[in-house]
Amino acid sequence: MKTLGFPRMHKEQNEKRDFLPDFFESFLDYPAELYVESGYGKSMGYTEQDYLDKNPQMKFVSNAECYEKDIVVVLRCPEVHEMDRMRDNSTLVSMLHYPTRATRVEYLKKRNIFGVSMDAIRNDIMDRIVVDYKGTSGNGMDYFF
């Protein structure tokens, strides 16, 4: 049995990128323990009960406890101080952007953390599967202007 941690992102005040309750329902058939940070989905109007209604086996824990699991899943790449909490030989599933983040790649290697970069997952014709072009370009334009 694997343990999966789902920490919240603590970047911008208005961050609203947690996985929806329905996502966790898909784990009911897998032999995995889910640990989700307390307050997960709150910024999007969801309660812990909304998540428990979809998967009553989930456990709500602290941010630090989420990072201590076998597999950590968080959309935006965690900060170094957060990854420092991860165990040796654990897995980080996140938007890691390997081609443009050489320092991050070296850090993961040094820490013996297996990174699964969601932005590198592609379909049979090499199109990115996990992508939000509108959001990405919009953020870039906001930053530029």
Side-chain angles (χ1 to χ4, degrees):
M1 180 173 293
K2 292 285 184 184
T3 57
L4 285 84
F6 291 86
R8 294 173 45 222
M9 292 178 285
H10 298 276
K11 297 192 184 270
E12 293 88 22
Q13 284 262 341
N14 61 347
E15 188 69 66
K16 296 181 181 182
R17 297 190 215 187
D18 294 332
F19 292 102
L20 301 178
D22 287 344
F23 171 77
F24 293 96
E25 186 174 27
S26 64
F27 288 94
L28 287 169
D29 296 330
Y30 295 99
E33 294 178 8
L34 304 179
Y35 295 86
V36 180
E37 183 178 345
S38 295
Y40 201 88
K42 184 177 180 180
S43 64
M44 299 182 303
Y46 293 101
T47 65
E48 289 182 3
Q49 190 59 51
D50 292 327
Y51 287 90
L52 290 169
D53 287 345
K54 296 295 181 176
N55 188 333
Q57 300 163 359
M58 297 171 62
K59 297 169 188 74
F60 287 91
V61 297
S62 69
N63 175 273
E65 192 171 342
C66 287
Y67 281 102
E68 296 168 355
K69 303 308 173 201
D70 299 319
I71 301 170
V72 175
V73 183
V74 60
L75 187 58
R76 287 179 68 186
C77 185
E79 301 295 331
V80 172
H81 73 274
E82 294 168 314
M83 289 188 285
D84 282 342
R85 298 179 185 145
M86 293 181 68
R87 295 190 303 217
D88 196 40
N89 292 314
S90 60
T91 299
L92 174 62
V93 180
S94 189
M95 300 294 267
L96 299 174
H97 302 287
Y98 289 146
T100 58
R101 302 293 193 275
T103 304
R104 181 179 296 157
V105 172
E106 287 306 311
Y107 172 84
L108 292 171
K109 286 180 184 177
K110 181 179 89 174
R111 287 288 324 283
N112 203 24
I113 295 171
F114 180 72
V116 177
S117 187
M118 286 193 271
D119 53 282
I121 300 172
R122 299 180 181 274
N123 64 15
D124 291 342
I125 57 172
M126 298 307 290
D127 291 330
R128 279 179 59 183
I129 294 174
V130 182
V131 65
D132 176 13
Y133 290 118
K134 182 180 178 197
T136 302
S137 64
N139 291 336
M141 295 306 288
D142 288 345
Y143 182 76
F144 176 74
F145 287 105

